Amino acid sequence: MSLLVLASSVGAGVRRRWDRAVSAGEAGMATAEYAIVTLAAVAFAGLLLAILRGGEVREMLLGLIREALSR
């Protein structure tokens, strides 16, 4: 199978799926889902940052790192 024929068949399949998604009213769902996941990741990163800035947690992590490096 030549590359041109393969690209043509792949393109036709993508076009059919796109047409089906648009007709079903789902065009843009992926973008919205990516936005929600990105916001959740940023919120989680903020939470981790707040936790790690605390003195107890920081000292515990530094102690673990020091112990691991001293072995």
Side-chain angles (χ1 to χ4, degrees), residues 28-41:
M29 287 298 289
T31 303
E33 290 164 359
Y34 285 129
I36 290 170
V37 169
T38 302
L39 286 175

Side-chain angles (χ1 to χ4, degrees), residues 53-65:
R53 285 192 174 184
E56 278 183 29
V57 175
R58 185 179 177 131
E59 287 302 316
M60 181 185 69
L61 289 175
L62 286 174
L64 287 172
I65 292 170

Side-chain angles (χ1 to χ4, degrees), residues 2 7 11-12 14 18 20-21 27 30 34-35 38 41-44 48 50-52 57 59 65-66 68-69:
S2 74
V14 169
W18 174 257
R20 204 174 317 130
Y34 285 129
T38 302
V42 168
F44 185 68
L48 283 178
I51 290 171
L52 291 177
V57 175
E59 287 302 316
I65 292 170
R66 284 187 193 116
L69 292 176

